[in-house]
Amino acid sequence: MVIPISVHHVTIVGSVLSILDVLIVRLRCLVLAASVPFRMQIGIRKGILWIAPFLFLIFCSFYAYASNLAMDCTECHNNDQFTAGFQKSVHGDNGCTSCHKPFQSIDRHISKQEKPFLISCGNCHSEIANEYKKNFHYLYEDFKCQNCHYEIHSLKKQQKNSKIPVIKGCTKCHTNEEYVSSGHSAAVLKGNNDSAVCSDCHGLHDTKVYHTSLEANTAEAREFYSRKCISCHSNKELMKKNNLSHKTIEYYEETYHGKVQDLGYPTRVAGCADCHTAHNILPPDRPDSTINPKNLVKNCGKCHSNFHPRFAEYKAHPDYRNKNRYPALYRSFVFMSFLLLITFSFFWLHTLLWWRKVYWEKYRFEKLGIIIESPLPHEEAVQEIKRFSGKERIMHVLLIISFFGLVITGFPLKYHSTPWAKALISVMGGAHNAGLYHRAAAIILIGLFLYTCWLSLRFIFSKGKGRAGIRGWMDRLFGPDSLMPNKNDWPQFKGMVRWFFGKGDMPQFGRWTYWEKFDFLAVFWGMFIIGGSGITLWAPEAASYIYPGWVFNIASIVHSEEALLATLFIFTVHFFNTHLIPTKFPMDPIIFTGRQKLEELKRYRNLEYERILSEKRLDELKIKHPGIALKIIASMFGLASLWIGIIFTLILLWTFFFA
């Protein structure tokens, strides 16, 4: 590349031009040679071969001279930055005109009237240039490459895995003393290149707008930075190398904050930087750390308000399986796990034995062509009596609606990482809306529970005199109309087990069986556990005036595990006992119509049938067959509920065992 450097070079340049003229003349002769006789052409060719070496030397000399001209910028720009420093830089093999556009007049350039324009770095670094066009510094601060790469003439190759130059470069403008003294930067300055520097979180040439304004881009920033933290702190090998736990992220994602964050709604919960801040990230034993016990109240106060100081005793990254560090949480987790194991081991075995007995017996009768005769005359057998009042049926429908509402809005949070959970939350309009629907369903369920408690008290302490009044409450509590277990339940259970194994007949039952009593009483236990923990998690600030923050962690455990217990129990055990048993499959509409045939009552609840006859209440209990509209509505609602429950059970079981 040739640049007119100084006036005394004019003579030399003129000589070079003369040589070029001679070469042009020679070339013209070669062209004319095409029209001369053949012998003359041979002579010319020999002449060309004779002068070819000299032409080659001339061209090489001209190239070397042109190269020297390119480097003659240093005759004026002769300090170390442009001489030795440039030759040893990453651009040392490039000429001046690689970055500087040649000027037109040497005199104007010497007098500083004309400067060579800078050529875009993107001519060589095109990929980086395209990336940088979206950079905050380019869009809003009009930063050029040389604003960061200011020592461009002496810029050397960065040492492999060295992050210190990044810190030095960024802190030229961003004098963040908090970051430089924090855990990450301090570790890098000490030689730990595993630690994060500015570019690891903010990028080098792709710094987004929300990197500088969390207030204007809260959602993007929170999600981005939390993902950045997670990408390193979930790396098992990296954390092990630096003596840190890689399960910290796993523990965080099991909290409400982490679950909602994982579902894709970071603005509603605290992310990593909300508690640990963006730069002053220090261990809890440092007094100036945001997670130091003395600073936790202030830290939590950034999102929460009107709470007791012990609210800050909440554990943000608890390991429920660590009994030494979190003994209360460990015991709660073990207890709930044991409760699930015992409950399902017993009732799923009970259900399996029952299904086997009924199915095999039904199959044997069909095979032998045996038709079981009705225990009553036809007209009496088809007569229907009232089993449930209209009020009780409405209560059960509301119970079904509220229960499904709680399941559909609650379990996506429990299994937040699954595709179906994210899809359900999206359909509901986000985690916040799902929470509102969940609380609405909870209000309905709590209302039903409180009304049931009121009806139970009215039943036990009904008005009247003598043993029929208040003094007879024990008789009513353990009587045949009560759902409280009594002395008949144990013999009936043993008789049922004998029947399962063909050692006797199926026992006779009264108005309520032992499994129906268990279903009813389980609601009281469930409402105490689920309802109590749910209200605590609903208003943790207010609850902190009653108990410390670590109780919220326990509430999360028992709320989640009891919900799993209740849901699977209803969708498997209860559904089988009332609908899926072969003698009632596919559905028993009794809870929706409120009616039961006398034949069924006589066959399966003979004690109740005999009691009704002895008390002469049969006529007052007789009721007409339900209308077709009621049957259609009952069938549609019942079957829909049944199928939703079965499908959700399959989803839960697949999630539990495979996802």
Side-chain angles (χ1 to χ4, degrees), residues 329-367:
L329 276 60
Y330 173 78
R331 294 189 186 99
S332 301
F333 178 75
V334 170
F335 172 77
M336 293 305 302
S337 300
F338 182 75
L339 182 63
L340 264 73
L341 179 63
I342 293 299
T343 302
F344 288 123
S345 295
F346 175 80
F347 279 100
W348 281 353
L349 179 61
H350 184 277
T351 298
L352 181 63
L353 293 174
W354 192 355
W355 174 84
R356 172 194 168 279
K357 176 64 177 178
V358 174
Y359 186 84
W360 255 249
E361 195 171 78
K362 183 179 180 181
Y363 171 78
R364 184 168 59 87
F365 286 170
E366 289 178 354
K367 183 178 180 180

Side-chain angles (χ1 to χ4, degrees), residues 64-177:
Y65 178 73
S67 300
N68 289 331
L69 284 178
M71 295 302 297
D72 280 345
C73 296
T74 58
E75 290 191 9
C76 295
H77 305 279
N78 54 13
N79 56 25
D80 290 342
Q81 179 182 3
F82 302 115
T83 55
F86 179 72
Q87 292 175 2
K88 295 179 181 179
S89 72
V90 293
H91 298 108
D93 294 334
N94 295 7
C96 301
T97 53
S98 297
C99 300
H100 301 278
K101 186 177 181 181
F103 44 81
Q104 300 300 319
S105 170
I106 184 63
D107 295 327
R108 289 175 59 82
H109 176 62
I110 292 174
S111 61
K112 299 183 179 180
Q113 296 179 30
E114 182 180 354
K115 293 182 179 181
F117 294 103
L118 288 175
I119 296 174
S120 173
C121 300
N123 285 357
C124 296
H125 307 284
S126 57
E127 185 176 345
I128 294 176
N130 291 330
E131 191 178 77
Y132 185 64
K133 289 178 181 179
K134 302 175 184 178
N135 191 299
F136 171 85
H137 298 96
Y138 176 80
L139 294 173
Y140 294 93
E141 301 294 337
D142 196 28
F143 266 37
K144 302 297 188 292
C145 302
Q146 58 269 26
N147 288 112
C148 295
H149 305 283
Y150 42 87
E151 297 177 348
I152 192 66
H153 293 95
S154 58
L155 185 66
K156 295 182 179 180
K157 291 184 179 181
Q158 184 175 320
Q159 294 180 2
K160 188 176 181 181
N161 298 326
S162 176
K163 295 183 176 182
I164 295 178
V166 176
I167 300 176
K168 292 181 177 179
C170 294
T171 51
K172 289 286 185 180
C173 298
H174 305 281
T175 54
N176 194 327
E177 295 181 0

Side-chain angles (χ1 to χ4, degrees), residues 497-516:
V497 173
R498 287 194 296 268
W499 176 67
F500 289 157
F501 294 98
K503 303 297 183 180
D505 295 330
M506 185 177 184
Q508 297 297 315
F509 297 100
R511 183 175 183 183
W512 307 111
T513 63
Y514 63 84
W515 62 84
E516 291 168 341

Side-chain angles (χ1 to χ4, degrees), residues 575-646:
F575 272 18
F576 174 82
N577 293 345
T578 55
H579 301 295
L580 302 180
I581 186 173
T583 54
K584 299 178 181 179
F585 185 83
M587 187 192 75
D588 187 355
I590 187 172
I591 192 60
F592 304 111
T593 63
R595 294 159 170 82
Q596 184 179 31
K597 284 184 167 52
L598 273 178
E599 178 186 1
E600 186 179 350
L601 182 69
K602 170 70 174 175
R603 190 186 302 278
Y604 300 111
R605 302 177 191 269
N606 186 55
L607 297 179
E608 175 67 6
Y609 175 78
E610 297 295 340
R611 186 168 73 94
I612 291 174
L613 292 180
S614 64
E615 294 176 358
K616 299 180 180 180
R617 293 187 294 116
L618 183 59
D619 291 335
E620 67 182 68
L621 292 176
K622 288 181 179 180
I623 192 172
K624 294 182 179 179
H625 190 71
I628 189 167
L630 177 59
K631 288 181 68 68
I632 291 174
I633 294 173
S635 298
M636 291 178 62
F637 183 81
L639 287 173
S641 302
L642 191 64
W643 277 110
I644 291 174
I646 293 173

Side-chain angles (χ1 to χ4, degrees), residues 31 43 63 111 153 169 183 194 275 337 365 380 483 521 546 560 590:
V31 173
Y63 179 80
S111 61
H153 293 95
D194 290 335
C275 298
S337 300
F365 286 170
E380 188 177 354
L483 281 160
L521 294 177
I546 303 174
S560 176
I590 187 172

